Amino acid sequence: MQQKKLVVALAAVYGLGWTVLANASPAELAVATVALSSAALATSAEAGAASAAADGAGASASADAAETVAAASAATAAADASLDVIARVTVSARRRVESSQSVPTTLSVLDSSALEGNRVYRVQDLQQLLPSTTVNYVHARQMSFAVRGLGNNPASDGLEGSVGVYLDNVYLARPGMAAFDALDIQQLELLRGPQGTLFGKNTTAGVLNITSKQPTYRSENSAQLAFGQQGYVQGKAVLSGAFSDTAAGRIAVYKTHEDGYITNIHTGKKVQGGDRDGVRAQVLLEPDANFSARLIADYNREDSNNGTLVFYNAGASGKFLAQAAAVGGHPVTDPRLRQVNLDSGSHVDVHQGGVSGELNWKLANEYKLTSISAARLWNFTPHNDDGLEVPVTLNVGSAARHRQFTQELRLATPLGQPVESVFGAYYYYQNLDNINFTYNGPLADKFNGTPAGAWSNVTSIGNGHLRVNSYALFGQSIWHIDPQWDLTGGVRATYEDKLAQVTRDAPYGGVAVTGAALASRNARFGAYDSGDVHLNKLSPSALLTLAYKADTDVLAFASASHGEKSGGINLSVPGAAGVSSLKVNNEKANNLELGIKSNLLGRRVQFNASLFWNDVSGYQSNAYDPVSATSYLTNAGTVRSRGLELDSSVVLVRGFTVSANGSFNDVKYKEYKNAPCPPERAGTFCDLSGRAALVNAPRWIGNLAAQYATAVAANVEAYGNLNYAYRSSTYGTLDASEYARIPAYSLTNLSAGLKLRQGSTRWDVSLWAKNLFDKQYYTSMWNTSPGAYNTVIGTPRQIGLTARADF
């Protein structure tokens, strides 16, 4: 079977009759393999290693071709490199394997070489490579993805993100479930705009589709070790190969340690670092030509002091500094020092993992049936400091225990017909519990100005529970009107039944109080029981796309889509906003898009562009309640996002490619009259209508990359990678305070190395630098009481060395 796959791959690369070869006898296959392999090696030393069919070879979305997704890009890229052209990239955005340039959807693709070359090993660094993308990150629970300015709604256990995240076709309900190191990743696909019709959960802003490398029948083993500043050490290992002619396995492991880059002057230790490790094991079964199964189990762990926020400023009043001084606190007030003064510090403990099985059948008449079953868990436990070195608040935060099960069935009609369709059903179950806790110290009353004994030494524990049942039916069809025109239409109906309960125990600890002190204690920490909170919603999605293929290398398209992300339930006791703040309604998006994809000058130039206009009603975003000092999710009015995106690559000379992408995004509130007011303005609510004031939505994003590789001796190749990323200034918090403005910044990353071959072993040794010019920059901003702001500082310059062996 592996020999047949090799022939199919090579024949596809060289445009031969693979259907004939794929059905040849073993003797004929042997002859064909030798002939084709010789031709491949004459053109490229790498092409003979391909083990799957290239795009255009008739592969379908069924996962008997799952190895095709992993290896098709490698096969075509190897042949293309010999011709000095832009490599073809295959994607599965429409649940079928095809060239990214033939998909009438705005998307960006990063393969494993791009991730390695730019030292991107965590998803929060993806915004340095992708247009229109923002990753808000404090720690795994306070993390969100935003596309085109939409989706910055982290830290809400009762709601999914506006950008859906998928790992090997399995939906990850919490954005923080993607907060692990990029382990053995084949490629990342970012689809922009509503994507509800084919993906498991409705999304209004986009989809991040992560595909890991799958088992290979050919032995494929590697070991990697990296060292860098700030105590960075990372080790990775991969073993892959055949158990038999019909079964293969793969196992990948990693372990990462970082000391951190912020100094806690109270203890003299570094923070914002820690340990992460994980493992992914897979089995691929292909007992015959009509069935395949890919079984995956993975586990990731984090034990770190991520989540350390640095004081940014005290807002208009400066009240925080006065209150800190009153209790003997000395916060570090200059964020440029990369220092904090904390008595206990922050800590997060994360355990997550899951199992999945993707089964594929070839039915009669070339129909394909796919079943994907998956169960995942995510446990998050934090310890959050109050920002001072004195005992005001000893620990505050939310722990979460998340369990989910998903089941998807898809039926794909034969390819090559006038109408090609995918129909399916999807089920999602979630069971989540969280614990909201506050442990106050002896100085809580003095700091907050509450009556003596009201808050000091008081402990408050609250509980939230959420159960979700989600059901969906979907279908999408492509009508090939003629060789140049395609019409794609898709619909999805999702019904969700959510049940939640929010409780808080009576406070305990502290001294017995009466009168004003008791009233203050109960107002902030009093017992609460919401009872059963129900939310039942129908969320439709639809897509209509007209595509015109001007020639083999130019595709133009126009698309209209509607997406609805389901509503949710806040799992924390409501503050001043009252019980009404528990429920969050659907977020609805209507999107129009015009795009063009092209390969020019004999495929030495690739140029893609898109214009988009997205109107979103009921936009879901975080709000901050200064009375209860808590964040909660709310429908923040109506938003319009419109702009232009460009993505291009040019092969200047043999081995030298320059790529550039960028976006201009005019995103603003069309109507938002009850927004929270910033500290510099009086009032409970302020009107942000007509203002470009969305959280962390930069108007301009630009990324420039250059890659160069050349042979310097027999079996020795030298290479270099340069990446420059720019983001314009933006607001960091929902109140659009000028004191919470994130300044514009740019980053430069650089790597250079040598690849050499010794027998069957290939070595890769590289020197790299992230944030080469040691820019001080901030990735997100957060409100803190009273009226002050904390920030997340980006990683300073980090220089390191990586060595890898493939054998």
Side-chain angles (χ1 to χ4, degrees):
M1 178 171 289
Q2 177 61 11
Q3 187 182 31
K4 185 175 293 188
K5 288 184 178 180
L6 175 60
V7 171
V8 169
L10 292 169
V13 170
Y14 290 95
L16 303 178
W18 71 270
T19 53
V20 175
L21 292 174
N23 293 288
S25 67
E28 292 170 330
L29 282 173
V31 174
T33 301
V34 172
L36 284 172
S37 297
S38 299
L41 291 170
T43 349
S44 167
E46 299 295 330
S51 60
D55 66 274
S60 71
S62 63
D64 70 87
E67 190 173 357
T68 311
V69 179
S73 294
T76 52
D80 287 343
S82 68
L83 302 174
D84 292 332
V85 296
I86 302 297
R88 289 189 178 96
V89 176
T90 57
V91 297
S92 55
R94 295 194 291 182
R95 301 309 192 191
R96 50 185 286 188
V97 178
E98 55 191 332
S99 166
S100 62
Q101 289 296 97
S102 67
V103 180
T105 298
T106 305
L107 59 85
S108 298
V109 182
L110 298 174
D111 62 13
S112 57
S113 61
L115 298 175
E116 286 289 338
N118 291 286
R119 296 301 304 161
V120 172
Y121 56 90
R122 304 199 69 185
V123 292
Q124 48 265 44
D125 296 329
L126 288 176
Q127 63 183 19
Q128 298 177 25
L129 303 177
L130 296 169
S132 296
T133 303
T134 299
V135 183
N136 258 335
Y137 178 80
V138 176
H139 49 52
R141 183 172 175 269
Q142 291 181 331
M143 176 177 177
S144 68
F145 297 90
V147 174
R148 296 172 175 173
L150 307 174
N152 284 302
N153 47 11
S156 177
D157 295 327
L159 194 95
E160 298 86 29
S162 297
V163 178
V165 182
Y166 294 80
L167 175 63
D168 292 322
N169 292 322
V170 175
Y171 174 67
L172 306 182
R174 310 257 67 79
M177 294 170 75
F180 52 80
D181 288 27
L183 173 63
D184 204 28
I185 299 300
Q186 175 64 31
Q187 67 183 33
L188 304 175
E189 303 166 21
L190 177 71
L191 288 75
R192 299 188 282 277
Q195 301 293 330
T197 54
L198 279 185
F199 284 86
K201 290 285 287 181
N202 289 354
T203 58
T204 51
V207 159
L208 179 64
N209 192 28
I210 306 171
T211 303
S212 67
K213 294 181 179 179
Q214 70 164 38
T216 56
Y217 287 89
R218 175 177 53 85
S219 179
E220 184 178 285
N221 310 311
S222 68
Q224 178 175 303
L225 189 61
F227 300 90
Q229 290 176 294
Q230 294 96 50
Y232 170 72
V233 181
Q234 184 183 68
K236 295 181 180 181
V238 177
L239 297 175
S240 182
F243 300 134
S244 68
D245 288 343
T246 60
R250 189 180 191 96
I251 185 167
V253 297
Y254 79 90
K255 185 172 181 60
T256 304
H257 172 80
E258 294 176 286
D259 289 341
Y261 53 89
I262 298 172
T263 302
N264 184 356
I265 63 174
H266 187 74
T267 63
K269 296 181 179 179
K270 294 291 184 179
V271 295
Q272 200 70 347
D275 295 283
R276 301 181 301 276
D277 50 65
V279 58
R280 179 183 295 114
Q282 304 181 58
V283 175
L284 177 65
L285 304 173
E286 297 178 303
D288 56 49
N290 296 318
F291 176 75
S292 70
R294 184 185 183 191
L295 310 177
I296 307 173
D298 69 275
Y299 177 77
N300 294 273
R301 182 186 66 91
E302 178 181 347
D303 179 9
S304 75
N305 44 38
N306 282 323
T308 302
L309 297 174
V310 172
F311 178 84
Y312 189 67
N313 64 53
S317 67
K319 187 177 180 181
F320 173 82
L321 296 179
Q323 291 182 203
V327 295
H330 302 85
V332 178
T333 58
D334 186 352
R336 294 171 297 180
L337 297 176
R338 295 172 180 157
Q339 294 179 347
V340 292
N341 191 10
L342 309 176
D343 52 354
S344 59
S346 298
H347 180 267
V348 295
D349 185 69
V350 185
H351 297 265
Q352 64 164 310
V355 293
S356 67
E358 180 171 340
L359 312 179
N360 296 271
W361 293 268
K362 286 184 179 180
L363 306 179
N365 300 319
E366 296 300 316
Y367 280 80
K368 311 292 173 61
L369 178 65
T370 298
S371 170
I372 304 172
S373 308
R376 297 200 65 84
L377 62 87
W378 184 72
N379 296 338
F380 173 85
T381 305
H383 182 287
N384 297 312
D385 197 280
D386 57 9
L388 298 171
E389 83 281 20
V390 292
V392 175
T393 302
L394 306 180
N395 189 12
V396 60
S398 294
R401 302 291 180 269
H402 170 93
R403 304 291 184 270
Q404 71 174 62
F405 171 78
T406 56
Q407 175 62 56
E408 183 171 6
L409 290 173
R410 294 198 305 263
L411 179 66
T413 65
L415 299 179
Q417 302 299 312
V419 177
E420 300 169 354
S421 302
V422 176
F423 303 101
Y426 182 81
Y427 172 69
Y428 167 80
Y429 172 78
Q430 173 188 327
N431 194 307
L432 183 142
D433 293 285
N434 73 356
I435 302 174
N436 295 285
F437 53 85
T438 302
Y439 296 89
N440 284 331
L443 297 178
D445 289 323
K446 190 172 184 180
F447 178 83
N448 291 288
T450 49
W455 291 13
S456 291
N457 297 314
V458 168
T459 295
S460 175
I461 304 292
N463 293 276
H465 174 73
L466 176 67
R467 183 223 66 201
V468 178
N469 283 288
S470 177
Y471 314 86
L473 295 174
F474 60 90
Q476 183 163 303
S477 296
I478 306 171
W479 176 25
H480 301 293
I481 302 172
D482 61 30
Q484 289 184 300
W485 291 92
D486 282 352
L487 181 65
T488 301
V491 293
R492 184 187 199 93
T494 301
Y495 177 78
E496 296 198 318
D497 173 25
K498 298 188 177 185
L499 172 64
Q501 184 179 22
V502 179
T503 62
R504 185 167 62 198
D505 302 334
Y508 63 90
V511 298
V513 292
T514 59
L518 179 61
S520 177
R521 179 182 294 183
N522 288 335
R524 180 64 180 88
F525 304 112
Y528 179 84
D529 189 341
S530 69
D532 288 347
V533 180
H534 293 270
L535 188 67
N536 307 99
K537 291 288 186 180
L538 178 66
S539 305
S541 297
L543 169 72
L544 188 65
T545 300
L546 182 64
Y548 174 68
K549 196 169 186 179
D551 59 39
T552 55
D553 288 321
V554 178
L555 175 72
F557 63 91
S559 180
S561 58
H562 172 80
E564 289 194 20
K565 185 164 72 75
S566 63
I569 304 173
N570 283 302
L571 297 183
S572 57
V573 175
V579 177
S580 62
S581 68
L582 287 180
K583 290 188 179 182
V584 183
N585 289 323
N586 282 16
E587 179 178 282
K588 304 177 182 180
N590 293 311
N591 185 65
L592 297 175
E593 200 154 327
L594 295 174
I596 186 169
K597 296 184 174 184
S598 61
N599 292 309
L600 308 172
L601 300 180
R603 287 185 50 222
R604 289 178 176 269
V605 175
Q606 186 174 99
F607 178 79
N608 300 337
S610 62
L611 288 167
F612 62 89
W613 185 304
N614 197 356
D615 279 328
V616 181
S617 60
Y619 180 63
Q620 297 167 347
S621 186
N622 266 344
Y624 179 76
D625 178 8
V627 176
S628 61
T630 58
S631 295
Y632 63 96
L633 204 64
T634 184
N635 294 105
T638 303
V639 173
R640 185 209 65 212
S641 173
R642 63 182 181 185
L644 170 67
E645 295 165 335
L646 302 175
D647 198 340
S648 63
S649 296
V650 181
V651 177
L652 295 178
V653 296
R654 176 180 291 270
F656 185 27
T657 301
V658 175
S659 302
N661 66 62
S663 57
F664 165 76
N665 187 16
D666 177 25
V667 58
K668 64 178 58 177
Y669 292 109
K670 293 176 65 177
E671 184 178 10
Y672 190 18
K673 295 183 178 180
N674 60 339
C677 286
E680 64 265 28
R681 294 185 61 184
T684 304
F685 297 107
C686 288
D687 189 354
L688 292 180
S689 301
R691 291 187 58 187
L694 271 75
V695 174
N696 221 338
R699 193 174 182 86
W700 296 95
I701 294 176
N703 302 295
L704 179 67
Q707 300 89 31
Y708 180 68
T710 185
V712 294
N715 296 321
V716 180
E717 177 186 274
Y719 67 89
N721 296 280
L722 174 67
N723 172 255
Y724 173 84
Y726 170 80
R727 304 175 68 81
S728 63
S729 176
T730 183
Y731 287 105
T733 56
L734 187 66
D735 58 20
S737 172
E738 293 302 323
Y739 291 89
R741 192 86 179 176
I742 299 176
Y745 66 89
S746 61
L747 300 174
T748 302
N749 301 324
L750 183 68
S751 68
L754 291 174
K755 294 181 180 180
L756 56 101
R757 185 188 296 270
Q758 292 182 323
S760 61
T761 302
R762 289 169 294 172
W763 294 91
D764 184 344
V765 180
S766 63
L767 181 68
W768 47 266
K770 300 179 67 175
N771 190 6
L772 178 64
F773 300 108
D774 200 23
K775 294 290 187 69
Q776 176 86 358
Y777 67 102
Y778 311 100
T779 60
S780 58
M781 205 75 62
W782 296 86
N783 302 85
T784 186
S785 181
Y789 296 94
N790 288 337
T791 187
V792 177
I793 293 183
T795 308
R797 177 170 51 220
Q798 187 179 55
I799 298 175
L801 179 71
T802 297
R804 172 174 173 150
D806 293 277
F807 51 93

